[in-house]
Amino acid sequence: MATTVEAGGVREAAFDAAVAADERIEPRDWMPDAYRATLVRQIAQHAHSEIIGIQPEANWITRAPSLRRKAILMAKVQDEAGHGLYLYSAAETLGVGRDELLDKLHTGRQKYSSIFNYPTLTWADVGAIGWLVDGAAITNQVPLCRCSYGPYARAMVRICKEESFHQRQGYELLLALSQGTEAQHAMAQDAVDRWWWPSLMMFGPPDDESSHSAQSMAWKIKRHSNDELRQRFVDICVPQAEALGLTLPDPDLVWNEERGHHDFGPIDWDEFREVLRGNGPCNDERIGRRRRAHEDGAWVREAAAAYAAKHGEAKA
Amino acid sequence: METGTAPIRPADRTAALALGDDALVLAQRLGEWAGHGPVLEEEVALANIALDLLGQARHLLSLVGNEDELAYLREEREFRNCQLVEQPNGDFAHTIARQLYFSTYQELLHNRLARTGTPFAPLSAKAVKEIAYHRDHAEHWTLRLGDGTPESRERMQRATDALWRYTGELFEPVGELPVDWTELNDSWLASVTSVLERATLTVPEGPRRGAWTAGAGREGLHTEPFGRMLAEMQHLHRSHPGASW
């Protein structure tokens, strides 16, 4: 017994030293249970966000207004499904299978990013998602490429490259609309007006209310605070909005010379909490559609498993 | 509709429209699967196939004129796709049966066109590599569903039977393409029969064309679901005449 405790202490010290030295923790390395649980929660939430995030954009694939835009949007949605695959695989290295995680998503025991509970009402929303939502996601995710857990960090390197393409296509889509007809310009402005605040909420609650932040920072799963990343995002977006010829819906948004940052108005955290609680505009639709797709596909997965069992093929 | 000066002969223009519309319409149908796939790998695969087909469609329609004018501003009766590709997705078995029938046809056709001196040869040579993957994907799923569970077998058989009557049209001569259509049909039948048999399915015995509506897509006669599909596809573009996107 004493030896086990001692060995545990040695392993923990080795883990702490590796994290402190910015070395990567790999799947076979010993890690504290809470570190594992935090990673599983975070990676699963990220994977779920990728697959739920397909829905608001898929809403426009069939209606994309040019073949070029249709192709770009299809490629983007395909990337997102691919990101879901890498991330579920990263979670598998921590001992949790995709089926188990999907079950948790379908039964509301794990979350996905609340941003996808907002509707895509016009074509311009596809642009706003690319520019703002993917832009916010990149701001959050780039530091994750240096996350202490190796498989997650490596998945993020690839994902961030593709996300940055997504962000650019969104920006370019909005630029075309902004410089287009009056109706197109209005469509772009309306989309930005609706997506701006929810995008700022993507960085999570303010630092003093964020429950998981301190421990995640210590473990180098997280590298910057929510408010720090949010500020970085605002500072990036302001000149981009100007270049787009669009305004951001915040009368308090102003450059603060002293801080070297933009000040911005108060975020409606009540709305954030309501959406998180399940009362956003599309919570029921998103999870309902996901569950239906899964249930409708059950016979297909069963067939693949039965065929594999008969023919000794790897599972589809 | 005026589509500008086409650099190709009228007969090739007819063929480019037929083959381009096939690819466009099937890409549109496959795009409807996004977010509904039975398993994450299929979200990726179906989007990938749709994307390949859309690329082919854009190339072929551009031989005829402006791709967006052709895709968005033609009426139903002006489309030249076969009726098979416009059939609704149905369940996953229907989507797979449609893909098996179409990809097998498309692979055989483009294999032959790649060796001709037609303006299609360069595209065909490139497309054949993509299509081989589409056919392989459809074959594998036909085997899994046909030889999977009793439920999947029943669904796959039903889909195979339901779409059978749209397969005769695929072998109607298109423009003046230098293809032996009878031979193409024989090769198709041999290939599809072999897959269905390996999948423990019964090769449908019904006619491969129905009454006047089945098999006239190349002449601009389509099935009822096609109009609704086009309405959805064209609505936004048509709502902003002259706009750029």
Side-chain angles (χ1 to χ4, degrees), chain B residues 51-65:
Chain B
L51 208 47
D52 286 344
L53 288 166
L54 188 55
Q56 294 167 16
R58 295 180 66 193
H59 182 110
L60 287 160
L61 294 179
S62 298
L63 294 175
V64 177

Side-chain angles (χ1 to χ4, degrees), chain A residues 164-177:
Chain A
S164 109
F165 168 75
H166 296 170
Q167 196 264 351
R168 282 203 302 277
Q169 71 77 34
Y171 181 88
E172 197 249 334
L173 190 163
L174 284 177
L175 188 64
L177 293 179

Side-chain angles (χ1 to χ4, degrees), chain A residues 62 64 69-70 98 301 311, chain B residues 28 38 41 72 147 232 245:
Chain A
T62 54
R69 293 287 176 199
K70 193 190 287 289
R98 197 202 303 178
R301 297 189 302 276
H311 297 272
Chain B
Q28 176 75 8
E41 284 80 356
Y72 291 98
D147 194 13
E232 182 174 340
W245 301 93

Side-chain angles (χ1 to χ4, degrees), chain A residues 51 54-55 58-72 74-75 77-78 80-82 84-85 88 98 123 172-173 176-177 180-181 183-184 187 289-290 292-294 296-304 306-308 310-311 313-316, chain B residues 24 27-28 30-32 34-45 47-51 54 57-58 61 67-68 71-72 91-93 140-141 143-149 151-153 155-156 198 229 232-237 240-245:
Chain A
I51 63 168
I54 290 174
Q55 291 183 34
N59 186 34
W60 285 95
I61 284 183
T62 54
R63 293 178 288 170
S66 73
L67 296 187
R68 175 173 164 265
R69 293 287 176 199
K70 193 190 287 289
I72 293 172
M74 272 183 181
V77 164
Q78 188 192 10
E80 278 150 10
L85 282 175
Y88 286 119
R98 197 202 303 178
W123 168 250
E172 197 249 334
L173 190 163
L177 293 179
T181 64
Q184 286 177 307
M187 193 193 279
R289 151 97 72 111
R290 179 88 269 293
R292 253 191 332 276
H294 193 74
D296 290 349
W299 69 271
V300 177
R301 297 189 302 276
E302 284 159 16
Y307 182 85
K310 279 186 219 174
H311 297 272
E313 190 194 56
K315 205 177 145 190
Chain B
L24 174 64
Q28 176 75 8
L30 290 171
E32 293 171 10
H36 296 276
V39 59
L40 198 45
E41 284 80 356
E42 286 310 297
E43 290 277 352
V44 178
N48 185 39
I49 296 169
L51 208 47
L54 188 55
R58 295 180 66 193
L61 294 179
E67 61 178 35
D68 285 336
Y72 291 98
D91 65 4
F92 189 66
H140 274 98
W141 273 109
L143 295 177
R144 288 189 193 107
L145 299 182
D147 194 13
T149 63
E151 181 185 3
S152 71
R153 188 179 187 287
R155 283 177 183 263
M156 195 63 217
R198 276 185 289 139
M229 191 208 86
E232 182 174 340
M233 183 174 98
Q234 297 181 333
H235 162 260
L236 176 59
H237 183 98
H240 297 262
S244 303
W245 301 93

Side-chain angles (χ1 to χ4, degrees), chain A residues 129-147:
Chain A
I129 288 188
W131 177 44
L132 296 173
V133 175
D134 293 331
I138 294 169
T139 309
N140 266 328
Q141 290 167 5
V142 164
L144 290 174
C145 299
R146 294 186 293 126
C147 161

Side-chain angles (χ1 to χ4, degrees), chain B residues 28-218:
Chain B
Q28 176 75 8
R29 282 298 188 205
L30 290 171
E32 293 171 10
W33 270 104
H36 296 276
V39 59
L40 198 45
E41 284 80 356
E42 286 310 297
E43 290 277 352
V44 178
L46 295 174
N48 185 39
I49 296 169
L51 208 47
D52 286 344
L53 288 166
L54 188 55
Q56 294 167 16
R58 295 180 66 193
H59 182 110
L60 287 160
L61 294 179
S62 298
L63 294 175
V64 177
N66 177 291
E67 61 178 35
D68 285 336
E69 284 180 20
L70 287 164
Y72 291 98
L73 300 178
R74 274 183 299 160
E75 300 293 324
E76 198 178 328
R77 292 293 304 267
E78 295 172 276
F79 277 80
R80 291 292 178 266
N81 55 284
C82 61
Q83 293 180 348
L84 174 66
V85 293
E86 76 201 32
Q87 295 313 304
N89 288 338
D91 65 4
F92 189 66
H94 278 75
T95 290
I96 290 300
R98 186 182 63 196
Q99 203 63 45
L100 177 72
Y101 291 163
F102 184 72
S103 299
T104 304
Y105 154 78
Q106 219 194 5
E107 187 183 19
L108 291 166
L109 177 63
H110 284 287
N111 245 324
R112 283 154 182 74
L113 289 179
R115 297 192 298 262
T116 61
T118 64
F120 307 107
L123 168 79
S124 294
K126 178 175 173 282
V128 126
K129 293 177 196 142
E130 299 167 351
I131 299 163
Y133 160 74
H134 306 168
R135 200 245 319 124
D136 193 57
H137 171 263
E139 270 191 29
H140 274 98
W141 273 109
T142 303
L143 295 177
R144 288 189 193 107
L145 299 182
D147 194 13
T149 63
E151 181 185 3
S152 71
R153 188 179 187 287
E154 190 190 320
R155 283 177 183 263
M156 195 63 217
Q157 186 67 58
R158 207 182 304 146
T160 306
D161 293 345
L163 294 170
W164 190 247
R165 71 192 188 103
Y166 298 104
T167 60
E169 182 186 8
L170 301 173
F171 306 97
E172 289 295 318
V174 173
E176 291 169 9
L177 291 180
V179 170
D180 180 344
W181 296 94
T182 310
E183 181 270 330
L184 196 71
N185 178 54
D186 293 345
S187 299
W188 181 90
L189 200 54
S191 174
V192 166
T193 299
S194 150
V195 177
L196 295 180
E197 283 174 352
R198 276 185 289 139
T200 73
L201 295 163
T202 308
V203 178
E205 284 176 355
R208 290 180 54 209
R209 55 182 66 250
W212 70 277
T213 48
R218 298 277 187 240

